[in-house]
Every structure is written in structure tokens, then in C-alpha cells.
Amino acid sequence: MMEQYFRVKALHPDALLFFRLGDFYEMFYEDARTGAHVLEIALTSRQNVPMCGVPFHAVNSYLAKLLRQGFKVAVCEQVEDPRTAKGVVRREVVKVLTPGTAVEIDPEQGKDSVFVAALHVGPTGWGLALADLAVGEIRVLEGSESDLKPLVDELYKAAPREIVVAEGEEDAAALTAVLDRSDLRRVLKSPVEAWAFEIGHARHTLTSHFGTPTLHGFDLEDKPRAATAAGALLYYLKKVRKDSVSLIGRLSLVRPSDRLILDAATIRNLELVRNARDGRSEDSLLDVIDLTVTAMGGRLIRDWLLRPLTERAGIEARLDAVEAFLGAPIARGEMREALKGILDLERLTGRISLGAAHPRDCVALRKSLLPLPGVRAAIEPVGGALLDGIRSSWDDAGDIAGLIGRAILDEPAFLLTEGGIIRDGYDAELDELRAVSRSGKSFIVELEKRERERTGIGSLKVRYNRVAGYYIEVTKPNLPQVPADYIRKQTLVSSERFLTPELKTYEEKVLHAEERIAEIEARLFQALRETVAAETRRLQAVAAAVARLDVLAGLAELAARRGYARPVIDEGDALTIAGGRHPVVEAVSPEPFIPNDARLDCEADQILIITGPNMGGKSTFLRQTALIALLAQMGSFVPAASASIGLLDRIFTRIGATDFLSAGQSTFMVEMLETAAILHNATPRSLILLDEIGRGTSTFDGLSIAWAVAEYLHENERVRAKTLFATHYHELTELALTLPRIKNHHVAVEERGGEVVFLRRIVPGPSDRSYGIHVAQLAGLPREVISRAREILFNLEKAELDDAGTPRLAYAKERKPDRRQMWLFGQDRQSSALEEIRESLENCEVGALTPLEALNLLNRLVERLRQ
């Protein structure tokens, strides 16, 4: 058996081999050590061979865990009946599962999309193809070698589980740099032959699969890098999982102009799909707005969030549908309740198409199709062009549900070999065999009656058990009456067991029937599965329609629960928000949220310089403005009293401190790289959020950079983007004095009895204080530190250097006098009175004073000292 294992393993050296042994899948040697560690199961050994195993009936949960960790798994099954096998049972690898292609294994989070990508980065540019087999679509894009940012952003959004690359390029510097910047350092890289990325081979692969003479219909004839990536991806899918290509029915080119561009930094900084605290989905924007009730809807709303529209008609169509659902709460509730009965149609369809579905998957598909007529009836009174389009192409798939219902039991066996799958009445041959199998009890009663009458033995019994089969039992005192045609079968202490020719014939018939029943049920189920698999395109379209309804109704439910308003979408450049709120902070904070207004345009209020205290709400204001605009362009109502959104093409953010030490980039370098990307790519249609530009370097350097950035955004007509600029450099507020489209705003603060109260209101005008020491005090810094900080702050605010050139920052009450300088008033520089006295003496013309004026001046100075 181990020789067999080594032969199979040699064919799949890069995969963990799940080797079927009876009721378990076993792993051996290094595979066992890896599997035991990752799966947290016991590592054992036999004859000094390390091994570990998992039960076959629960294998999917273990496979899911390995795939999530980026492993490839080869599943080796017994392909002949152990009862009839001579020698070692023959085994073969029946499928190879990879992180991006294992459609039959449900992801940890049911609403997660699972992408497999093909990527080539070369001297002439790059091409990327992304496929989610459950959805059945390949998306492609390409770009120049000098501009890798769109590639990084798309990879960050998709977060593929696996990336197909050309052999020899797995560790190429350009590829590694891209994956590092996309947070994909540990993603599985699957190499294929380099010629799979050649344009001729790729074009042939694509046209053969889609049945088209050219790639013009996909707009890829003049985009060779995108076409080669798509062709290489299809080639890989055929090579690894030949049956999976049947799921791919669409090929689309990603056009940046069709979507509001969100780069990786913006997605991260705005916490769209993961929070900044621990990288989990909880408390992200997606977590707050996702009220979908199906897995397909959950995947779609994530796609809408990360790829908002830039075309007004499409946005308005979505908003119309959300408004229609909002105005029909009963219909919305009925439809959402019906949707809850629909499981993951996309993944169920994928499993059936791949031939990996078991009978219960088909039952799950049928149960998921049964609510569709109710969903259709619920949306009948709800208006809107988008919903009209869904209704006009609606497909209940009733024929598929009916076929499954007629063929398969409501609670079938899990395995094909167990029988108990097909309903009575579905197949005549099967019904006949079942009748034979089930007739045993009546046959025994009838035979026993006849044999008692024939032999005159009143205690004669006809029985059946699994060990002995059918037999006639006669007690020893009655043995002389046994007929000559009885065939002795077994001798017991007090009786003998016999067969008759009739009983032997019946036994053979029944046992043969049981075997035939199992064979016929397996054959009928496989034929049914193939019939349903032929409807893959229909089922994918049904799933897509359900997903759209789920998202639209979920957004209406969100608006109803949270009091969101419909935004006005226009072609102008103004962004006006009244009573805007941060959707996440509002949802998770126990305190009432204080709304704020915002107004930005390219003519009068292009740049808002926002100053004020830490913890006052500057960053929240910046983020909520961007999130409201983003929600509007994805087709959602927004958390505001009202909002008018001029269509944006991009949202840029420069927020927080991040470094990429592995790439040799410090926090400040990352800050400058992100700022440079903004200045080079922003347009008057863009929205920019800048939070504390220049804080990663010295004060004068940082202030200079921040000032120059603000001037550039104002003065450069190519950019002239709407900008929210939060800063603690209060000097920047002076920009409003000379640049007409820069306005000052600040966070309102109220001081009560020495305490600072943050009002969370953004109001016009500059602020001259940051209240950072107050925040430090709230955080619990030692009192000595707070006291010393106040002292240093006073010194800084007065002047940078004293008359001797000593930094006033270093002044302290305990500081020893400078022996090079005689001080008139000692070293206590905390009191402002000393500064007033010094200034009075410096400004005094001693020779012009009369004796009386001199005495009066001296008296005033003494009184000031005493104070």
C-alpha cells in the first residue's frame, strides 16, 4: 500500500495528498506533519511512518481549513470495490483542490468571494485576469509597466486566494513588489508553462471556449496583455480542474472610467471592508450596511461598495429601486423573508456543474428554487425600471425544481453507495427491484404456511438474518419428517437449518436486487446531476437576479432602520451635505452622533482647512464626507438630512501612519508616496482627504510640505480637486488670507471651569489651539508629565530661542543658571509677569525719565513682581 502511496505522491509533489483508507483520509510523512499542525489533529505513527487522518464524512471542513491557509490538496480515492479487489485496492487522484478553484468547499464566511487570478508583469506592461468560479465571470485589465498602481488596487480589492504565473517568474522582483503592496505576500502562486501567456495561444483558448471567431466582442483585440492573462487563466483551469471551465460564461474588460476609483490606501483608510483595529470585517462600512440575507447578495453588495458607479443613469436606477422598496415595507418584508429560504445558489450550481454535488446538494438546490415564485409575487407591486428589468427576465426554474423533486427523496442518503436516494415511481426497473427486496416478509409468511402444511411440522419456521441469509429451521425431534428435497445448511444444538430450491432461488434474487438497486440509484442520480448541470447558465442568471433584489431590498431596509436620505446626483462639481453622519460611528457608538454640514466645490469652497483639538472629530468629519459620497454613487441612501453629490471620479485619502519596512519604505516615505500619487492623478472631479500631511518629519519640513501641497491643489488647474485638509499646523489657516478658494473651519470647543468639552461641531473659522495636553491628561499620563508639558508649551509659544541662543524648550524651574550669563530675575520663567517686566525695561528710555516717573515705574515693577 505504501508503494502505491509513493507512486501517487510522486505525481503531485506540490500538494498535500489525502489518501483514502477505508473510512478515513490519511496523510503520511511531511504531509502528515504539516496537516497535523494546521488542522490541530493528532500526529501518530505506524512502523515509524508519521501519519494523521480525518474521517471521510467530515472531510470538507478539514479541506476548507487547509485551502484557507493556501495549501493545494490532491484527493486520492479508492476506485474499485474492496470486496472484489485482488491485492491492494486501486486508488487514483480524482481531483486536485486549490485555494482559488475549490468551488465545492464553502469558504469560512459564506458571503466571501473566492478569486483565482492570472498575472503577468513584464517590460511592456502588465495584464491581470480575475475569476470567481461561483459567479462564472472573468474580469481582465491591463496597464503599462510604469504605472502599477491600478494593478495593486485591483489585487487589493479582489484579494485572490491563488495567482497563476508563468514558470520561472514565481519570485520575480516585479511580481513580488506588486504582491507585497497588495497585502498578498503569502498567496499561493501556481506556475504554468510560459507559452500559456503567449498571445496566440491565449487567443485560441478564449475563442474556442466562448465560440467566437475573434475577441472584438470582448474589446480585447487591441489589449494583448489582458487577453494573455485571461487565456492563461482558462488554460490553468482546464489543466487543474477541466470541468470547472464550464462555469465560465462571461468575460469582461474592467474600464476605470466606468467606476469610481478607490485605491488600496483609500479602501484601507476608510475601513470599507476591514477595520483598522484588527483587520476583521466587524465594524467596517460593509459590516454596517450589509443587511442582505443571501450569500449571493453579500458578495454583490461588497462588489458595489468597492466599485461604485460614475454614470448617473445607473446610479439613479439603483436609487429608484431602493426608494420603491422603502415605500413598500410589506412587500419588502415578504420578499426578504422568502429570500431567507434561498441557500447559496451560485456555489450549489458550481458543485453540480463540477460533478462534486451529493444528493443533499440537489435537495438544497430544489429548496432554494421553491421560494422563487413567492419572491416574484412579492416584488409585483414594487415599481422602478431596474425592477421591471428583473421581472421581465424572471425565471422560477420550476422545471428544474420539479425534476429534482420527482427524482430525489426529501432526506436522501449522503453517499451514492448507501442507496435511499431516488423516489418510488421515478424508474420502473428500480421500482420492480424494490418490490422484490421489500417482499421478503410476505414471502416468508406464505412459504412458512405452505411448508408446515406439506411437512406436517407445526413448529417449522422460515427466517432471515444478515449472516445466514434465508433458511428453514426444524427442531431435532421433527427431523424424521423433513422432505427429501430439503438441503442441509447449518446444524445447531437443538435444531437444523435447511434450504429448498425455491428458497435458494428467492435468496439469490433478493440479494442481487439490493446490489442492482444501489447501482441503478447511483446511475439515475448521476444522470440527474448532468441534466441539472446543463442548466448552469440559467441557474447562474437566477442567482444574479436574486442577488440584485437582495442588495436593493437590503439597502432599503438600511435606510428605513437608520433614517438615511436619498441623495441628489448631478453632473455639477459641488458636494453639499446637510446633517451628515458617519455610518459606522453612528451604528456602533452608544452616544448620540452629532451631525455636521459640508460644502465643497471647485469655484468657491475648494479646500477646507480644518483645525481643532485631537478627539474633537476632524478625522470623523473627513471620513464621513467621503463615505456619504461613496454610498451615494454605489446607489444607496445616505446618512444625512440631505445630500447633493456632483459625480466623483476618484476618492483619495492620505490618513494615518503606515510603513512598508520589507520594501525599505519608512512611515514618512509612504506618506510622501501616497501624497505624490494624489497630486499626479487627482482631477477636478476628485475628492481628497488629507489628515496631518507632513507630521512624519521635522516641524519646519512638515509645515513647508503641507503648505506647498495646499497651494498646489489650489493653483494647479489640472488638479483643482475638492479637498478636506485636517491639520494641527495652525499656520496653514493663513492660506485663506491669500487663496480665495481655501476656507477655514474648526472643531468647536467649550471650556468650562478649566475643563474642555468637545462639541463635535465643525464651524467656520480657524482654531489656534489643539488641546493635545488635555487629551494626554484624559489618557492618564502621569501628572508630572502633564505639568512639564504645559511648561514646555508655554516656552514654545513665547519664542523659540532666548537672548543667549538657548532653546526655550529646555527651560525648567530646576535648571541651573548659565554661568556665561548673569540673570536679573533668576530662573523662574513660567510667569508671564517676568516677560512683561523685561519688555518694560527694554523699551524704557532711562535718560528721558524724570525722577518722579522713574519712581512710579519702579513701583509698578515691584507690584507686578509681588503679584
Side-chain angles (χ1 to χ4, degrees):
M1 186 272 291
M2 291 307 296
E3 289 177 358
Q4 183 188 57
Y5 169 82
F6 285 125
R7 287 196 300 271
V8 175
K9 177 64 180 175
L11 298 174
H12 302 277
D14 59 341
L16 297 177
L17 183 60
F18 268 44
F19 195 74
R20 181 71 178 270
L21 290 179
D23 290 341
F24 281 79
Y25 289 100
E26 296 287 351
M27 289 174 279
F28 299 98
Y29 295 100
E30 287 304 315
D31 285 4
R33 294 188 180 95
T34 300
H37 174 71
V38 175
L39 299 176
E40 298 178 327
I41 57 178
L43 178 68
T44 61
S45 66
R46 185 170 297 179
Q47 298 177 5
N48 295 322
V49 175
M51 58 187 294
C52 69
V54 300
F56 79 96
H57 62 272
V59 67
N60 279 2
S61 62
Y62 294 101
L63 290 173
K65 193 168 186 178
L66 290 171
L67 293 169
R68 284 197 304 272
Q69 296 293 322
F71 291 98
K72 184 184 294 186
V73 181
V75 180
C76 183
E77 292 285 4
Q78 298 173 172
V79 293
E80 65 177 336
D81 191 338
R83 294 172 297 180
T84 60
K86 295 180 180 180
V88 178
V89 176
R90 188 161 58 90
R91 295 176 175 85
E92 294 178 0
V93 170
V94 296
K95 58 185 174 183
V96 177
L97 302 176
T98 68
T101 64
V103 180
E104 62 268 57
I105 307 300
D106 291 329
E108 184 177 13
Q109 302 294 330
K111 293 182 176 182
D112 285 352
S113 294
V114 178
F115 286 99
V116 56
L119 171 62
H120 177 70
V121 181
T124 61
W126 53 265
L128 174 67
L130 289 160
D132 182 349
L133 291 179
V135 178
E137 179 183 22
I138 294 180
R139 293 177 183 170
V140 295
L141 64 159
E142 66 174 31
S144 64
E145 190 272 338
S146 61
D147 185 13
L148 295 176
K149 198 169 190 313
L151 172 60
V152 171
D153 296 339
E154 199 66 28
L155 285 171
Y156 185 84
K157 291 177 190 177
R161 305 286 182 90
E162 179 181 3
I163 295 183
V164 179
V165 297
E167 284 182 343
E169 295 186 4
E170 299 94 321
D171 300 314
L175 176 65
T176 301
V178 167
L179 297 183
D180 281 349
R181 290 170 60 189
S182 307
D183 285 353
L184 295 173
R185 298 174 185 84
R186 296 179 180 84
V187 70
L188 175 66
K189 288 175 279 189
S190 299
V192 297
E193 296 86 346
W195 46 260
F197 281 89
E198 293 177 359
I199 183 60
H201 181 272
R203 181 179 284 110
H204 174 73
T205 301
L206 293 172
T207 54
S208 298
H209 176 77
F210 290 104
T212 59
T214 70
L215 297 178
H216 280 295
F218 307 107
D219 197 19
L220 292 180
E221 277 295 328
D222 60 344
K223 296 177 177 59
R225 295 185 293 274
T228 55
L233 181 55
L234 263 182
Y235 169 77
Y236 173 76
L237 293 176
K238 287 182 179 179
K239 181 179 180 181
V240 176
R241 303 209 62 181
K242 186 175 182 179
D243 46 5
S244 68
V245 296
S246 62
L247 293 168
I248 301 298
R250 299 190 302 277
L251 176 63
S252 61
L253 177 67
V254 176
R255 296 179 175 85
S257 60
D258 293 341
R259 295 290 187 269
L260 189 153
I261 299 175
L262 302 169
D263 60 21
T266 297
I267 295 170
R268 188 185 304 113
N269 291 332
L270 294 181
E271 301 178 276
L272 298 186
V273 293
R274 294 194 290 268
N275 69 57
R277 183 180 65 256
D278 56 17
R280 298 170 65 88
S281 61
E282 288 79 3
D283 299 338
S284 66
L285 179 63
L286 178 62
D287 181 45
V288 168
I289 69 169
D290 182 9
L291 298 185
T292 60
V293 294
T294 69
M296 301 82 71
R299 289 191 284 271
L300 183 61
I301 194 173
R302 185 183 191 276
D303 185 66
W304 283 16
L305 176 63
L306 294 180
R307 305 175 72 223
L309 300 176
T310 55
E311 191 258 324
R312 183 180 177 186
I315 299 171
E316 294 288 4
R318 290 181 182 179
L319 291 173
D320 287 344
V322 173
E323 186 170 39
F325 272 125
L326 183 62
I330 295 177
R332 183 177 77 244
E334 291 175 349
M335 191 198 75
R336 283 170 55 83
E337 193 61 33
L339 289 177
K340 290 178 182 178
I342 299 177
L343 302 178
D344 196 336
L345 280 174
E346 290 174 337
R347 292 199 170 277
L348 286 171
T349 301
R351 283 200 282 270
I352 292 171
S353 180
L354 293 174
H358 51 70
R360 294 179 187 176
D361 285 328
C362 289
V363 172
L365 176 63
R366 174 178 175 266
K367 289 181 178 178
S368 296
L369 297 177
L370 292 178
L372 292 178
V375 173
R376 174 65 175 81
I379 66 172
E380 186 62 38
V382 185
L386 191 55
L387 296 180
D388 288 341
I390 294 174
R391 275 189 289 263
S392 66
S393 59
W394 187 259
D395 182 1
D396 287 334
D399 55 330
I400 299 175
L403 174 62
I404 297 172
R406 290 191 302 273
I408 300 181
L409 294 167
D410 290 338
E411 295 184 5
F414 182 78
L415 298 176
L416 297 185
T417 56
E418 294 179 1
I421 297 171
I422 304 298
R423 287 184 186 274
D424 290 342
Y426 183 72
D427 182 82
E429 183 183 4
L430 180 62
D431 290 344
E432 182 180 347
L433 289 168
R434 280 177 172 168
V436 171
S437 177
R438 294 166 183 170
S439 67
K441 187 174 181 179
S442 61
F443 173 80
I444 288 173
V445 172
E446 179 63 28
L447 180 63
E448 185 177 85
K449 180 181 178 182
R450 284 192 285 108
E451 289 302 312
R452 282 181 179 180
E453 292 175 354
R454 181 164 79 97
T455 63
I457 303 172
S459 61
L460 180 146
K461 297 177 182 177
V462 180
R463 294 288 185 265
Y464 168 82
N465 65 47
R466 291 188 177 183
V467 177
Y470 288 93
Y471 57 86
I472 298 172
E473 187 170 280
V474 179
T475 59
K476 287 191 175 180
N478 294 307
L479 289 179
Q481 297 173 258
V482 170
D485 62 343
Y486 274 32
I487 305 168
R488 192 181 301 274
K489 184 173 185 177
Q490 188 177 15
T491 300
L492 303 179
V493 174
S494 59
S495 63
E496 295 280 347
R497 291 176 177 175
F498 300 91
L499 281 175
T500 65
E502 179 187 11
L503 187 58
K504 187 174 182 180
T505 301
Y506 180 79
E507 182 180 52
E508 291 174 354
K509 182 178 181 181
V510 169
L511 293 179
H512 178 69
E514 294 290 346
E515 294 176 0
R516 285 287 296 145
I517 286 171
E519 292 173 3
I520 292 173
E521 288 205 69
R523 174 173 55 79
L524 291 174
F525 172 73
Q526 289 167 354
L528 171 73
R529 189 168 61 188
E530 291 174 3
T531 301
V532 176
E535 303 294 339
T536 292
R537 296 286 179 271
R538 279 182 66 195
L539 291 172
Q540 287 176 332
V542 170
V546 168
R548 288 196 297 273
L549 288 176
D550 192 13
V551 172
L552 294 168
L555 292 175
E557 187 72 17
L558 175 72
R561 292 184 189 181
R562 301 273 170 75
Y564 286 12
R566 175 169 179 161
V568 175
I569 307 297
D570 59 49
E571 304 287 347
D573 65 10
L575 191 157
T576 306
I577 300 169
R581 314 185 301 274
H582 192 295
V584 179
V585 176
E586 177 186 46
V588 303
S589 175
E591 300 178 3
F593 191 90
I594 307 299
N596 276 294
D597 300 341
R599 165 75 188 185
L600 288 166
D601 59 50
C602 295
E603 300 302 323
D605 299 288
Q606 179 202 342
I607 302 174
L608 301 188
I609 303 292
I610 304 170
T611 51
N614 290 294
M615 291 180 59
K618 298 192 303 297
S619 294
T620 300
F621 176 71
L622 263 64
R623 287 176 169 89
Q624 78 185 40
T625 303
L627 293 180
I628 289 171
L630 189 155
L631 286 172
Q633 290 196 211
M634 72 170 275
S636 171
F637 281 30
V638 298
S642 65
S644 178
I645 310 296
L647 287 170
L648 303 175
D649 62 358
R650 298 189 67 152
I651 296 178
F652 293 96
T653 63
R654 171 48 268 186
I655 297 173
T658 306
D659 59 38
F660 293 106
L661 297 180
S662 61
Q665 297 173 359
S666 67
T667 300
F668 183 64
M669 173 58 79
V670 172
E671 179 182 340
M672 291 299 99
L673 287 172
E674 291 183 1
T675 304
I678 294 172
L679 299 183
H680 286 305
N681 294 288
T683 74
R685 284 284 182 188
S686 302
L687 173 64
I688 302 175
L689 310 184
L690 300 176
D691 197 349
E692 302 301 338
I693 286 289
R695 301 299 286 188
T697 185
S698 70
T699 301
F700 286 168
D701 279 357
L703 175 58
S704 302
I705 292 170
W707 187 290
V709 166
E711 279 188 346
Y712 182 87
L713 291 172
H714 186 279
E715 297 299 299
N716 192 306
E717 290 297 322
R718 179 191 61 80
V719 181
R720 203 167 181 171
K722 296 176 283 292
T723 305
L724 295 174
F725 199 144
T727 183
H728 285 291
Y729 291 138
H730 296 113
E731 295 84 351
L732 294 182
T733 60
E734 297 179 14
L735 285 164
L737 300 176
T738 57
L739 302 178
R741 295 191 306 279
I742 293 184
K743 301 295 188 296
N744 286 317
H745 283 67
H746 70 280
V747 181
V749 172
E750 186 174 316
E751 297 189 49
R752 302 173 184 169
E755 293 295 322
V756 177
V757 178
F758 300 140
L759 301 182
R760 316 288 187 192
R761 296 286 297 166
I762 306 296
V763 296
S767 171
D768 59 356
R769 296 182 62 187
S770 293
Y771 298 94
I773 294 177
H774 176 73
V775 174
Q777 186 175 6
L778 292 176
L781 267 65
R783 281 182 293 178
E784 306 90 87
V785 174
I786 299 300
S787 176
R788 175 60 175 152
R790 294 188 191 280
E791 182 180 67
I792 294 171
L793 179 62
F794 172 81
N795 294 335
L796 286 171
E797 287 177 342
K798 285 303 176 182
E800 187 180 6
L801 303 175
D802 62 19
D803 292 339
T806 303
R808 293 183 182 273
L809 175 65
Y811 279 12
K813 293 179 181 178
E814 296 79 10
R815 184 177 183 275
K816 294 181 180 179
D818 189 335
R819 298 304 181 189
R820 298 172 298 173
Q821 175 74 37
M822 181 176 291
W823 297 97
L824 179 61
F825 300 116
Q827 296 305 305
D828 188 352
R829 299 303 182 192
Q830 187 172 2
S831 172
S832 61
L834 299 180
E835 290 296 322
E836 294 177 13
I837 292 172
R838 184 179 64 80
E839 291 176 3
S840 297
L841 291 175
E842 286 178 348
N843 296 327
C844 177
E845 294 290 336
V846 178
L849 293 176
T850 65
L852 182 58
E853 290 172 338
L855 288 173
N856 287 334
L857 173 61
L858 182 59
N859 184 63
R860 286 198 303 274
L861 295 178
V862 170
E863 289 297 319
R864 187 69 179 116
L865 276 174
R866 288 173 178 171
Q867 292 176 3

